[in-house]
Amino acid sequence: MGKQLAAVISKYNDEDPSASIQVIRKDVPTELKEGEVLVRMMLRPINPSDMFCMRGRYGGFTPKQLPAVPGLEGLGTVNKLGPKTGGRVKEGQRVVAVPWPTAGGEGTYQEFVAVPEKHLVVVPSNVDDDMAAQFLINPVTAYGFLEVIQVPKGEYLLQQAANSVLGKELISMAQKQGTKTINLVRRHEVVHELKQLGAEEVIVTADEDVTARVMQITNGKGAWASINPIGGEASRYLPSCTRQGGKVHVFSLFKEEVIVPMFDLHFRQIQVQGFWLTQWLENLPSDQARQEVYAKVMGFFADGTIKPPHASVKYSLDKAAEAVKKAMDGVGGQGKVMLEDKFESTS
């Protein structure tokens, strides 16, 4: 099969992740190990977590050396089955992986990826390519939060940055299972959309005393738990909005610290807990339990509960650095910037 294009990290660059990317030609995996499948990539979103890989600051990207291939999620088709595969997938089927082998430096920003068959999830025919390519990072994380937190009936879950893709998907999943949400946003114009998705309460943070409003909504109890994807100064008031002895769940790397007032730690016994999707999935009791999670989330795609936005713009793999720059500039609007390979899928 010869050579393939790959966008690799040649050197970490904290200031400009796009400058870390170099497009090279590398060997296509030809000798598949037992249980492996060769996947021909089609689409890969460029996520903030991918850019943290390029900065050298992501705990889930630990290649032994550079150059290494980033790309934490994407969509492909089954190109070839390796020896002793178990019949979970067939050639030509569209698939996503949980996880892709990105940690060791063989991520999705290349044309072909060798993946253990047990990590693959078949995409139903009624889920389109753009949505399927975004299966892992946001939807499975949102589902994981709801599973970990287990909000009792009648209580509220509070989340910051509710207008993000993950925030919207969490609202939709929570509404589906009957969990009430309080959602913090910065702009008035997004309130109606979040309400349409099923948000019980939306607070524009510039307009109100957030803690007082949350306490009013919850009859003085505070939210059952809070989700903080931002950190920094914006995290200061979340503990005071959370119930006595409750947890503030933290993820993302946008800021280097989380601010928790000593009063809330000492007298209100607030706990701060990190959430990392990879670790949560690994801690599930069995492969069957993980497959049940993937089936549940894919079902949310298929029945329309969650609808990730379509790509705002797509670049070919050889323009990867330019695509990363576009994603950095935030001009993707409501949709992701994606890397695309154009070929005919048989599924």
mmCIF file of all heavy atoms in Angstrom, residues 50-74:
data_model
loop_
_atom_site.group_PDB
_atom_site.id
_atom_site.type_symbol
_atom_site.label_atom_id
_atom_site.label_comp_id
_atom_site.label_asym_id
_atom_site.label_seq_id
_atom_site.Cartn_x
_atom_site.Cartn_y
_atom_site.Cartn_z
ATOM 1 N N ASP A 50 -6.964 18.843 20.902
ATOM 2 C CA ASP A 50 -5.934 18.572 19.897
ATOM 3 C C ASP A 50 -4.846 19.649 19.938
ATOM 4 O O ASP A 50 -3.654 19.361 19.806
ATOM 5 C CB ASP A 50 -6.549 18.518 18.494
ATOM 6 C CG ASP A 50 -7.505 17.365 18.321
ATOM 7 O OD1 ASP A 50 -7.141 16.235 18.694
ATOM 8 O OD2 ASP A 50 -8.627 17.587 17.825
ATOM 9 N N MET A 51 -5.276 20.897 20.131
ATOM 10 C CA MET A 51 -4.300 21.988 20.181
ATOM 11 C C MET A 51 -3.466 21.942 21.460
ATOM 12 O O MET A 51 -2.304 22.333 21.464
ATOM 13 C CB MET A 51 -5.009 23.322 20.002
ATOM 14 C CG MET A 51 -5.499 23.513 18.568
ATOM 15 S SD MET A 51 -6.243 25.122 18.225
ATOM 16 C CE MET A 51 -7.948 24.791 18.648
ATOM 17 N N PHE A 52 -4.043 21.417 22.548
ATOM 18 C CA PHE A 52 -3.227 21.204 23.744
ATOM 19 C C PHE A 52 -2.186 20.116 23.508
ATOM 20 O O PHE A 52 -1.083 20.168 24.067
ATOM 21 C CB PHE A 52 -4.110 20.869 24.940
ATOM 22 C CG PHE A 52 -4.817 22.064 25.514
ATOM 23 C CD1 PHE A 52 -6.199 22.133 25.543
ATOM 24 C CD2 PHE A 52 -4.099 23.141 26.024
ATOM 25 C CE1 PHE A 52 -6.859 23.241 26.060
ATOM 26 C CE2 PHE A 52 -4.744 24.261 26.541
ATOM 27 C CZ PHE A 52 -6.128 24.306 26.562
ATOM 28 N N CYS A 53 -2.509 19.127 22.669
ATOM 29 C CA CYS A 53 -1.497 18.146 22.268
ATOM 30 C C CYS A 53 -0.342 18.844 21.548
ATOM 31 O O CYS A 53 0.830 18.564 21.809
ATOM 32 C CB CYS A 53 -2.109 17.092 21.351
ATOM 33 S SG CYS A 53 -3.323 15.996 22.111
ATOM 34 N N MET A 54 -0.679 19.745 20.646
ATOM 35 C CA MET A 54 0.346 20.456 19.883
ATOM 36 C C MET A 54 1.183 21.369 20.771
ATOM 37 O O MET A 54 2.332 21.659 20.460
ATOM 38 C CB MET A 54 -0.327 21.271 18.762
ATOM 39 C CG MET A 54 -1.086 20.416 17.768
ATOM 40 S SD MET A 54 -2.175 21.402 16.677
ATOM 41 C CE MET A 54 -3.337 20.145 16.132
ATOM 42 N N ARG A 55 0.590 21.810 21.873
ATOM 43 C CA ARG A 55 1.324 22.636 22.831
ATOM 44 C C ARG A 55 2.201 21.798 23.766
ATOM 45 O O ARG A 55 2.983 22.350 24.534
ATOM 46 C CB ARG A 55 0.336 23.451 23.662
ATOM 47 C CG ARG A 55 -0.389 24.551 22.909
ATOM 48 C CD ARG A 55 -1.307 25.340 23.836
ATOM 49 N NE ARG A 55 -1.763 26.567 23.223
ATOM 50 C CZ ARG A 55 -2.995 26.760 22.745
ATOM 51 N NH1 ARG A 55 -3.888 25.770 22.813
ATOM 52 N NH2 ARG A 55 -3.338 27.908 22.208
ATOM 53 N N GLY A 56 1.984 20.485 23.765
ATOM 54 C CA GLY A 56 2.724 19.621 24.677
ATOM 55 C C GLY A 56 2.160 19.649 26.083
ATOM 56 O O GLY A 56 2.868 19.339 27.048
ATOM 57 N N ARG A 57 0.854 19.940 26.209
ATOM 58 C CA ARG A 57 0.255 20.110 27.533
ATOM 59 C C ARG A 57 -0.980 19.238 27.730
ATOM 60 O O ARG A 57 -1.826 19.543 28.559
ATOM 61 C CB ARG A 57 -0.107 21.588 27.766
ATOM 62 C CG ARG A 57 1.087 22.509 27.809
ATOM 63 C CD ARG A 57 0.791 23.796 28.557
ATOM 64 N NE ARG A 57 -0.012 24.725 27.796
ATOM 65 C CZ ARG A 57 -1.156 25.259 28.225
ATOM 66 N NH1 ARG A 57 -1.651 24.910 29.391
ATOM 67 N NH2 ARG A 57 -1.809 26.128 27.480
ATOM 68 N N TYR A 58 -1.069 18.138 26.979
ATOM 69 C CA TYR A 58 -2.231 17.269 27.124
ATOM 70 C C TYR A 58 -1.796 15.911 27.656
ATOM 71 O O TYR A 58 -0.970 15.219 27.055
ATOM 72 C CB TYR A 58 -2.956 17.096 25.788
ATOM 73 C CG TYR A 58 -4.292 16.415 25.922
ATOM 74 C CD1 TYR A 58 -5.383 17.088 26.482
ATOM 75 C CD2 TYR A 58 -4.478 15.094 25.530
ATOM 76 C CE1 TYR A 58 -6.611 16.466 26.631
ATOM 77 C CE2 TYR A 58 -5.705 14.469 25.666
ATOM 78 C CZ TYR A 58 -6.761 15.156 26.224
ATOM 79 O OH TYR A 58 -7.980 14.526 26.380
ATOM 80 N N GLY A 59 -2.387 15.502 28.788
ATOM 81 C CA GLY A 59 -1.981 14.261 29.446
ATOM 82 C C GLY A 59 -2.320 13.008 28.673
ATOM 83 O O GLY A 59 -1.771 11.933 28.961
ATOM 84 N N GLY A 60 -3.199 13.112 27.682
ATOM 85 C CA GLY A 60 -3.565 11.962 26.878
ATOM 86 C C GLY A 60 -2.779 11.843 25.591
ATOM 87 O O GLY A 60 -3.123 11.025 24.725
ATOM 88 N N PHE A 61 -1.709 12.619 25.465
ATOM 89 C CA PHE A 61 -0.845 12.541 24.281
ATOM 90 C C PHE A 61 0.587 12.418 24.778
ATOM 91 O O PHE A 61 1.211 13.409 25.150
ATOM 92 C CB PHE A 61 -1.018 13.785 23.406
ATOM 93 C CG PHE A 61 -0.267 13.734 22.098
ATOM 94 C CD1 PHE A 61 -0.684 12.898 21.070
ATOM 95 C CD2 PHE A 61 0.858 14.525 21.887
ATOM 96 C CE1 PHE A 61 0.003 12.850 19.868
ATOM 97 C CE2 PHE A 61 1.545 14.483 20.695
ATOM 98 C CZ PHE A 61 1.117 13.650 19.669
ATOM 99 N N THR A 62 1.090 11.186 24.806
ATOM 100 C CA THR A 62 2.403 10.922 25.414
ATOM 101 C C THR A 62 3.276 10.047 24.512
ATOM 102 O O THR A 62 3.732 8.970 24.930
ATOM 103 C CB THR A 62 2.225 10.239 26.777
ATOM 104 O OG1 THR A 62 1.415 9.056 26.605
ATOM 105 C CG2 THR A 62 1.555 11.175 27.777
ATOM 106 N N PRO A 63 3.514 10.485 23.272
ATOM 107 C CA PRO A 63 4.385 9.686 22.399
ATOM 108 C C PRO A 63 5.801 9.631 22.953
ATOM 109 O O PRO A 63 6.252 10.557 23.628
ATOM 110 C CB PRO A 63 4.330 10.451 21.070
ATOM 111 C CG PRO A 63 4.026 11.856 21.454
ATOM 112 C CD PRO A 63 3.114 11.756 22.641
ATOM 113 N N LYS A 64 6.491 8.559 22.655
ATOM 114 C CA LYS A 64 7.863 8.415 23.152
ATOM 115 C C LYS A 64 8.798 9.422 22.501
ATOM 116 O O LYS A 64 9.820 9.805 23.084
ATOM 117 C CB LYS A 64 8.357 6.984 22.899
ATOM 118 C CG LYS A 64 7.629 5.936 23.730
ATOM 119 C CD LYS A 64 8.173 4.545 23.465
ATOM 120 C CE LYS A 64 7.451 3.499 24.318
ATOM 121 N NZ LYS A 64 7.941 2.128 24.050
ATOM 122 N N GLN A 65 8.456 9.837 21.282
ATOM 123 C CA GLN A 65 9.298 10.813 20.593
ATOM 124 C C GLN A 65 8.497 11.524 19.523
ATOM 125 O O GLN A 65 7.399 11.099 19.163
ATOM 126 C CB GLN A 65 10.517 10.120 19.949
ATOM 127 C CG GLN A 65 10.144 9.075 18.914
ATOM 128 C CD GLN A 65 11.346 8.314 18.386
ATOM 129 O OE1 GLN A 65 12.397 8.278 19.018
ATOM 130 N NE2 GLN A 65 11.209 7.712 17.216
ATOM 131 N N LEU A 66 9.028 12.640 19.051
ATOM 132 C CA LEU A 66 8.460 13.369 17.929
ATOM 133 C C LEU A 66 9.308 13.097 16.684
ATOM 134 O O LEU A 66 10.497 12.825 16.808
ATOM 135 C CB LEU A 66 8.434 14.877 18.237
ATOM 136 C CG LEU A 66 7.571 15.308 19.426
ATOM 137 C CD1 LEU A 66 7.642 16.821 19.611
ATOM 138 C CD2 LEU A 66 6.130 14.855 19.295
ATOM 139 N N PRO A 67 8.762 13.186 15.471
ATOM 140 C CA PRO A 67 7.385 13.574 15.171
ATOM 141 C C PRO A 67 6.376 12.499 15.566
ATOM 142 O O PRO A 67 6.698 11.312 15.607
ATOM 143 C CB PRO A 67 7.403 13.790 13.656
ATOM 144 C CG PRO A 67 8.501 12.904 13.168
ATOM 145 C CD PRO A 67 9.554 12.935 14.245
ATOM 146 N N ALA A 68 5.160 12.958 15.874
ATOM 147 C CA ALA A 68 4.060 12.071 16.256
ATOM 148 C C ALA A 68 2.761 12.642 15.709
ATOM 149 O O ALA A 68 2.637 13.857 15.522
ATOM 150 C CB ALA A 68 3.989 11.937 17.772
ATOM 151 N N VAL A 69 1.802 11.767 15.466
ATOM 152 C CA VAL A 69 0.541 12.162 14.828
ATOM 153 C C VAL A 69 -0.514 12.459 15.897
ATOM 154 O O VAL A 69 -0.852 11.579 16.690
ATOM 155 C CB VAL A 69 0.011 11.055 13.893
ATOM 156 C CG1 VAL A 69 -1.263 11.522 13.179
ATOM 157 C CG2 VAL A 69 1.080 10.654 12.880
ATOM 158 N N PRO A 70 -1.056 13.693 15.936
ATOM 159 C CA PRO A 70 -2.154 14.012 16.842
ATOM 160 C C PRO A 70 -3.496 13.621 16.230
ATOM 161 O O PRO A 70 -3.554 12.998 15.174
ATOM 162 C CB PRO A 70 -2.030 15.521 17.012
ATOM 163 C CG PRO A 70 -1.550 15.967 15.656
ATOM 164 C CD PRO A 70 -0.647 14.867 15.141
ATOM 165 N N GLY A 71 -4.574 14.075 16.881
ATOM 166 C CA GLY A 71 -5.925 13.806 16.392
ATOM 167 C C GLY A 71 -6.627 12.835 17.312
ATOM 168 O O GLY A 71 -6.413 11.626 17.249
ATOM 169 N N LEU A 72 -7.512 13.365 18.181
ATOM 170 C CA LEU A 72 -8.138 12.554 19.218
ATOM 171 C C LEU A 72 -9.455 11.916 18.791
ATOM 172 O O LEU A 72 -9.933 11.007 19.462
ATOM 173 C CB LEU A 72 -8.375 13.415 20.466
ATOM 174 C CG LEU A 72 -7.089 13.829 21.205
ATOM 175 C CD1 LEU A 72 -7.369 14.984 22.160
ATOM 176 C CD2 LEU A 72 -6.502 12.644 21.958
ATOM 177 N N GLU A 73 -10.041 12.397 17.704
ATOM 178 C CA GLU A 73 -11.273 11.755 17.245
ATOM 179 C C GLU A 73 -11.405 11.907 15.739
ATOM 180 O O GLU A 73 -10.646 12.638 15.089
ATOM 181 C CB GLU A 73 -12.495 12.324 17.965
ATOM 182 C CG GLU A 73 -12.873 13.741 17.620
ATOM 183 C CD GLU A 73 -14.161 14.188 18.321
ATOM 184 O OE1 GLU A 73 -14.879 13.344 18.884
ATOM 185 O OE2 GLU A 73 -14.437 15.398 18.297
ATOM 186 N N GLY A 74 -12.392 11.216 15.188
ATOM 187 C CA GLY A 74 -12.611 11.280 13.751
ATOM 188 C C GLY A 74 -13.491 10.132 13.291
ATOM 189 O O GLY A 74 -13.932 9.287 14.076
#
